[in-house]
Amino acid sequence: MIKNRITLYIDMLFCLVIMPLAIMLLPVDRWIVNNTAFLIALVAYVYILYFIYRIACIPKLFMQKRYLRIFVLMLVLTTVTEMFTYFPMPAEHINDDVRQMVAKMNIRRQTIWFFFLVVTGFSLAIELTFELFRQIISRQEVEAEKNKAELSLYKAQINPHFLFNTLNTLYALVLSGSDKTESAFVKFSGILRYMYSQNESELIPVGDELDYIHQYVDLQKLRLNHHTEVQLNVEASSKKVLIPPMILITFVENAFKYGTSSDKDCKIDIRIKIDENKLLFETENAVMRKPEGQKTGIGIQNCRKRLELLYPGKYELYNGEKNGIYHVRLLIDLKK
């Protein structure tokens, strides 16, 4: 739509401004009296030539490597232009002496080729510009589709990862015969509803994500005993700020996975601060167990990739262990 509008404006600029001004450089007042047919034919030829170039789109043909078609087109146009230089002279000039006749023929020839070169140069410049824009837009569309596909893949990988860990929690409650099992399943069903209702959303209100994290933390608390202390502090000046869904849960999940114990005192501290300009997320937990193979889990890898796609150059992420305490700090610049 925008491209078509720009094309229309450029065509109008050429037809209504540039060409009329160029034609006014000719001795129009004399030619319109003594050489009317030639002047009308020249104007018609100039406009026809312009729209032939616009329709043919030589830069696009060049990108498609259709060199023969370009050669044939240019050969035809130059031949027609050369033939046009032999346009009949008015009858009153036939009796002029040879020198005057040659001079007038040369002027006409130079005029015709001048307009041919002007129209050719202008048309090719415009079409080349449009072709460059087309290439840029095409690449951006391909990149956007690629990013969208990658985000969908990462989200698809995160959900099974989360479900597996949560089902382990529920399984442990069932085996222990805990009276908290029913409450846990109610919270789990609420979490599932959230996950699949937001599955197609690229951005959601932060209030929805915070409710989801609260439900997850409450679910985890049901399986923990008095040895694990959990603190969740949330400050949100506005719950309508938009953020990607499930961008924080991986770190919360890992804190519970590796920072809890049934026989040793430990603490999980989760802090979230959000305003209209930034999101600050931090977790601290004692390292009660290590990941197998000492490798970063798939959840954190996916989270990094999502952040890189969604907030390139606008986020800071640190995660690491120091003195037996694992710390995560994520800062996202939400300003557009």
Side-chain angles (χ1 to χ4, degrees):
M1 177 74 108
I2 295 176
K3 175 184 173 296
N4 293 337
R5 191 179 302 170
I6 294 175
T7 302
L8 176 62
Y9 291 156
I10 291 177
D11 290 341
M12 291 177 63
L13 175 67
F14 177 84
C15 295
L16 302 179
V17 179
I18 296 177
M19 273 301 99
L21 289 175
I23 291 171
M24 292 302 295
L25 298 175
L26 303 174
V28 176
D29 53 344
R30 189 171 73 250
W31 282 12
I32 203 167
V33 174
N34 301 324
N35 213 346
T36 306
F38 172 73
L39 181 61
I40 294 174
L42 177 63
V43 173
Y45 171 73
V46 166
Y47 284 107
I48 292 172
L49 181 64
Y50 173 75
F51 285 104
I52 288 175
Y53 279 127
R54 296 288 284 110
I55 294 171
C57 189
I58 291 179
K60 186 175 182 180
L61 294 177
F62 185 82
M63 295 294 295
Q64 296 172 348
K65 298 183 179 180
R66 297 183 179 180
Y67 305 125
L68 180 59
R69 184 173 296 185
I70 296 173
F71 175 77
V72 172
L73 176 64
M74 295 306 300
L75 180 62
V76 170
L77 292 179
T78 53
T79 301
V80 171
T81 302
E82 178 62 24
M83 292 175 61
F84 188 54
T85 62
Y86 295 97
F87 193 88
M89 293 288 290
E92 59 269 20
H93 294 308
I94 294 177
N95 296 325
D96 290 346
D97 60 47
V98 176
R99 186 177 299 174
Q100 290 180 340
M101 177 70 76
V102 171
K104 290 175 181 178
M105 289 292 292
N106 286 338
I107 291 175
R108 287 208 326 188
R109 184 184 186 88
Q110 292 170 3
T111 300
I112 292 170
W113 281 106
F114 169 76
F115 277 98
F116 174 82
L117 294 176
V118 168
V119 174
T120 300
F122 182 83
S123 300
L124 291 181
I126 293 301
E127 285 302 328
L128 181 61
T129 302
F130 276 135
E131 187 60 31
L132 290 175
F133 275 118
R134 275 192 287 265
Q135 293 292 326
I136 293 172
I137 292 173
S138 177
R139 289 177 184 176
Q140 288 178 341
E141 290 175 349
V142 170
E143 189 66 24
E145 288 300 319
K146 177 184 174 183
N147 291 348
K148 187 175 180 180
E150 288 181 357
L151 282 173
S152 298
L153 175 62
Y154 299 146
K155 288 168 70 176
Q157 291 174 335
I158 286 172
N159 288 354
H161 181 65
F162 162 78
L163 289 174
F164 178 77
N165 290 335
T166 306
L167 287 173
N168 276 343
T169 298
L170 296 175
Y171 181 64
L173 289 174
V174 171
L175 287 181
S176 65
S178 172
D179 56 359
K180 301 175 182 178
T181 303
E182 183 178 351
S183 176
F185 273 99
V186 171
K187 293 182 181 298
F188 181 59
S189 65
I191 289 174
L192 285 180
R193 278 196 302 270
Y194 171 83
M195 287 173 54
Y196 289 101
S197 66
Q198 304 296 343
N199 190 47
E200 299 299 325
S201 302
E202 293 185 8
L203 296 173
I204 61 169
V206 69
D208 294 349
E209 186 76 359
L210 294 177
D211 290 342
Y212 168 62
I213 291 175
H214 274 291
Q215 290 186 61
Y216 179 81
V217 171
D218 290 342
L219 177 61
Q220 294 298 322
K221 284 181 178 179
L222 292 176
R223 72 175 178 87
L224 301 174
N225 59 26
H226 65 280
H227 284 291
T228 303
E229 178 186 353
V230 180
Q231 288 190 351
L232 173 60
N233 298 311
V234 177
E235 295 181 35
S237 60
S238 172
K239 293 190 175 183
K240 295 183 180 180
V241 177
L242 298 179
I243 64 170
M246 301 188 71
I247 198 71
L248 306 176
I249 192 63
T250 296
F251 305 110
V252 176
E253 180 183 305
N254 283 346
F256 282 97
K257 185 176 181 180
Y258 301 113
T260 60
S261 175
S262 59
D263 54 7
K264 295 181 180 179
D265 291 341
C266 53
K267 180 180 178 181
I268 296 175
D269 189 7
I270 304 170
R271 300 182 295 275
I272 306 174
K273 185 176 182 180
I274 301 175
D275 58 35
E276 294 181 355
N277 297 321
K278 67 180 179 180
L279 180 153
L280 177 61
F281 171 84
E282 293 181 290
T283 65
E284 287 184 0
N285 61 272
V287 180
M288 308 307 296
R289 62 180 62 85
K290 298 278 189 178
E292 293 183 7
Q294 300 295 319
K295 293 183 179 179
T296 304
I298 187 174
I300 292 180
Q301 292 179 9
N302 286 345
C303 188
R304 284 186 179 276
K305 291 173 182 177
R306 287 184 72 198
L307 288 167
E308 190 60 37
L309 289 171
L310 294 167
Y311 300 103
K314 299 180 68 177
Y315 78 95
E316 298 175 9
L317 174 60
Y318 165 80
N319 62 293
E321 179 186 346
K322 185 176 182 181
N323 298 326
I325 302 296
Y326 193 83
H327 183 210
V328 173
R329 184 179 187 274
L330 172 62
L331 179 64
I332 301 177
D333 184 0
L334 300 175
K335 290 183 292 186
K336 296 182 179 179

